[in-house]
Each structure stands twice: as structure tokens, then as C-alpha cells.
């Protein structure tokens, strides 16, 4: 996942904002395909 | 000791660009101070609650800022923004921890349609995946940063309440070890609970990052 810098005043209290990206989604696909025996 | 986690979701109206799930985590004392200051700020403008959709559209609780006599353009929008800025400052000054997870929907649908297995894994409801992923990240945060403190989840009792609950139950069934850290998952009226209004703000903030 890509970590983004939060915008705005509230940023000081924000620990993280994570955005799903291609490598992360492909990781989920790979993991779940094997776990569920879909491959 | 229990950490209260207040969760909310956000998406663009047509659910074409992105969906996000946001939350604020905090201990009871941290929430109490935010609660006191938040309500006092809203009362100063005779508002009962904050909700992002009503803030952006100047409807509902923010409808009075559309009055062209009292608030000639753009003063109504500016007055509303001042309130949101002040509420953000309250969060900024607090010890609460804000988190947000965002799924870009064009990417989601591209991966979803890439093969048969992906169509089974990435359901037609990315909302469920966003909530489940956020819960998983909060559990990780508890293990890493909060001495594995148990988490009490709250979300609003709106139209998505049932979906969020069933998503949480599905997550617990698939992750029995993590489930031990989830104390409860309950719904409350966001108009009455400042913590849920803060979560709503966090969910929107996450989506604004895309």
C-alpha cells in the first residue's frame, strides 16, 4: 500500500492514510488464490 | 483498558473514483476532552452535530449557511469552513490517532476483472474490503503501538450499519487470533456521538488524498 501525506490542519493527529496500489492488490490476489485453492 | 475505535466510510456519489474507510482511535480520557470541546464549538454556531455530506452541500444542519440575506456568497461557505477548521484543530490538539484506508475504484475493477479467481476474491462490494482492511490495520496498530489493547469498535447506525457488522464478523471468523483483540462492534447515532462525527471527517480526509 502507498502511504499518503494527509492534507489539512488535522494532519497532526493522523497516524496514517494508506491507499491500495497494484502490488498490494496483486499480493491479496496471490495470497487468497492459494488460501482458497483457486489457482 | 480498552481503546475506542470509531469507524466511518466515504465515497464519491457515483462510487466511481474511490472509497475510503476512516477511524479515530483513543482511550476514554482522550475522547472525553475532544467531546467537550467539539460540542462547545458546535453550540457556538447553534449546530447540533457535524456531518461531512451536509457540510459540503450546505444542507441539513448546515442549510442555514445558504441563506443569501444572512450569508451572501461566499460568506456562508466560509462560515461553514471555519467550523470544520475549528473541529479539525480540536482533533489536531488531541491524543487521538487518525487512520484512513483508501481503495481507488478504477484500479479495483481492473484487478477484479483480470481473471476468474480475482472476480471471486474482489467482490462487487469494495466497501466490505475497505472496512475489513481497516479493521485489520487497527488490530496491527494495537499489537505494534498499544500493547495489544483490546479494541471497541463503533460505527453509525446508518444504511451501511448491517454491512459493516457482517463484515466485522466475517473478519473475526477468518482471523481468530485477531478476533481476540476485538472487544465489541456496536452502532450508535452519529448525530449524538462526537466520536462518530470525527470518524466521518477522517473518512472524507482520506478520500481527499486520492
Amino acid at each position: 500500500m502507498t502511504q499518503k501525506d494527509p492534507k489539512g490542519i488535522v494532519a497532526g493527529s493522523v497516524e496514517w492514510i494508506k491507499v491500495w496500489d497494484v502490488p498490494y492488490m496483486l499480493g491479496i490476489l496471490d495470497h487468497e488464490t492459494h488460501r482458497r485453492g483457486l489457482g | 483498558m480498552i481503546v475506542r475505535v470509531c469507524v466511518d466510510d466515504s465515497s464519491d456519489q457515483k462510487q466511481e473514483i474511490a472509497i475510503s474507510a476512516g477511524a479515530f482511535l483513543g482511550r476514554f480520557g482522550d475522547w472525553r476532552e475532544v467531546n467537550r470541546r467539539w460540542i462547545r464549538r458546535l453550540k457556538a454556531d447553534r449546530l447540533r452535530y457535524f456531518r461531512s455530506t451536509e457540510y459540503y452541500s450546505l444542507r441539513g444542519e448546515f442549510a442555514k449557511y445558504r441563506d443569501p440575506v444572512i450569508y451572501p456568497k461566499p460568506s456562508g461557505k466560509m462560515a461553514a469552513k471555519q467550523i470544520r477548521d475549528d473541529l479539525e484543530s480540536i482533533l489536531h490538539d488531541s491524543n487521538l490517532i487518525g487512520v484512513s484506508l483508501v481503495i481507488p475504484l478504477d484500479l479495483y475493477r481492473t484487478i477484479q476483472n483480470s481473471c476468474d479467481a480475482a472476480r471471486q476474491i474482489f467482490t462487487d462490494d469494495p466497501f466490505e474490503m475497505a472496512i475489513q482492511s481497516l479493521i485489520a490495520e487497527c488490530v496491527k496498530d494495537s499489537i505494534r503501538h498499544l500493547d495489544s489493547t483490546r479494541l471497541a469498535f463503533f460505527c453509525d447506525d446508518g444504511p451501511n450499519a448491517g454491512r459493516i457488522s457482517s463484515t466485522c464478523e466475517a473478519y473475526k471468523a477468518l482471523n481468530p487470533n485477531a478476533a481476540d483483540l476485538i472487544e465489541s462492534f456496536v452502532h450508535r447515532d452519529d448525530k449524538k456521538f462526537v466520536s462518530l462525527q470525527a470518524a466521518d471527517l477522517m473518512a472524507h480526509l482520506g478520500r481527499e488524498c486520492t
Side-chain angles (χ1 to χ4, degrees), chain B residues 3-200:
Chain B
V3 168
R4 175 184 284 199
V5 188
C6 293
V7 180
D8 200 10
D9 65 289
S10 171
S11 70
D12 52 292
Q13 201 166 16
K14 294 181 179 176
Q15 293 203 0
E16 291 177 341
I17 301 169
I19 191 163
S20 72
F24 271 104
L25 297 79
R27 299 181 198 276
F28 178 75
D30 299 326
W31 278 115
R32 186 174 51 194
E33 176 62 11
V34 168
N35 201 59
R36 187 184 63 78
R37 294 184 62 195
W38 189 284
I39 289 172
R40 191 170 63 187
R41 178 60 189 92
L42 289 177
K43 275 187 177 172
D45 274 57
R46 298 186 178 183
L47 298 174
R48 293 168 298 165
Y49 62 88
F50 175 85
R51 191 179 276 169
S52 289
T53 51
E54 295 180 10
Y55 157 73
Y56 283 114
S57 63
L58 294 187
R59 297 195 185 279
E61 200 65 359
F62 282 82
K64 66 180 180 180
Y65 297 108
R66 296 171 72 92
D67 187 322
V69 177
I70 303 173
Y71 296 103
K73 286 184 178 179
S75 62
K77 201 83 183 172
M78 289 167 65
K81 185 176 183 310
Q82 185 60 55
I83 293 165
R84 181 176 139 147
D85 287 351
D86 290 345
L87 295 178
E88 287 193 356
S89 293
I90 292 168
L91 294 169
H92 179 266
D93 295 343
S94 76
N95 291 321
L96 299 178
I97 298 170
V99 297
S100 187
L101 192 138
V102 186
I103 301 179
L105 292 175
D106 57 344
L107 188 63
Y108 184 89
R109 293 190 176 114
T110 300
I111 300 283
Q112 182 191 30
N113 292 315
S114 63
C115 63
D116 287 342
R119 273 186 283 276
Q120 292 183 55
I121 293 161
F122 296 99
T123 66
D124 286 334
D125 193 357
F127 169 86
E128 288 177 7
M129 300 202 79
I131 292 291
Q132 204 166 104
S133 191
L134 182 78
I135 292 170
E137 293 292 331
C138 288
V139 167
K140 282 183 200 168
D141 276 358
S142 174
I143 294 168
R144 285 178 193 152
H145 307 303
L146 299 167
D147 300 324
S148 295
T149 304
R150 290 169 68 79
L151 305 171
F153 283 87
F154 290 76
C155 72
D156 69 35
D157 56 5
N160 287 332
R163 291 163 72 200
I164 294 177
S165 276
S166 57
T167 300
C168 182
E169 288 306 315
Y171 171 79
K172 287 167 71 174
L174 284 169
N175 303 277
N177 292 334
D180 290 342
L181 289 181
I182 300 176
E183 174 74 19
S184 55
F185 202 107
V186 297
H187 304 281
R188 293 288 183 267
D189 182 352
D190 65 327
K191 291 180 181 176
K192 295 177 181 170
F193 278 76
V194 164
S195 48
L196 292 174
Q197 295 166 35
D200 162 76

Side-chain angles (χ1 to χ4, degrees), chain A, chain B residues 24 85 88-89 91-92 96-104 107-108 111 114-115 117-118 120-122 129 133-134 137 141 145 174 201-202 205-206 208-210:
Chain A
M1 279 187 283
T2 309
Q3 195 129 349
K4 295 273 186 178
D5 288 331
K7 298 169 185 169
I9 300 170
V10 81
S13 61
V14 172
E15 184 76 6
W16 50 258
I17 293 177
K18 294 176 180 175
V19 182
W20 280 22
D21 54 18
V22 171
Y24 183 75
M25 293 185 75
L26 291 178
I28 293 175
L29 179 59
D30 187 49
H31 175 78
E32 287 296 313
T33 298
H34 285 93
R35 193 180 69 79
R36 302 184 194 187
L38 298 173
Chain B
F24 271 104
D85 287 351
E88 287 193 356
S89 293
L91 294 169
H92 179 266
L96 299 178
I97 298 170
V99 297
S100 187
L101 192 138
V102 186
I103 301 179
L107 188 63
Y108 184 89
I111 300 283
S114 63
C115 63
Q120 292 183 55
I121 293 161
F122 296 99
M129 300 202 79
S133 191
L134 182 78
E137 293 292 331
D141 276 358
H145 307 303
L174 284 169
L201 202 150
M202 189 63 224
L205 183 75
E208 286 170 10
C209 277
T210 58

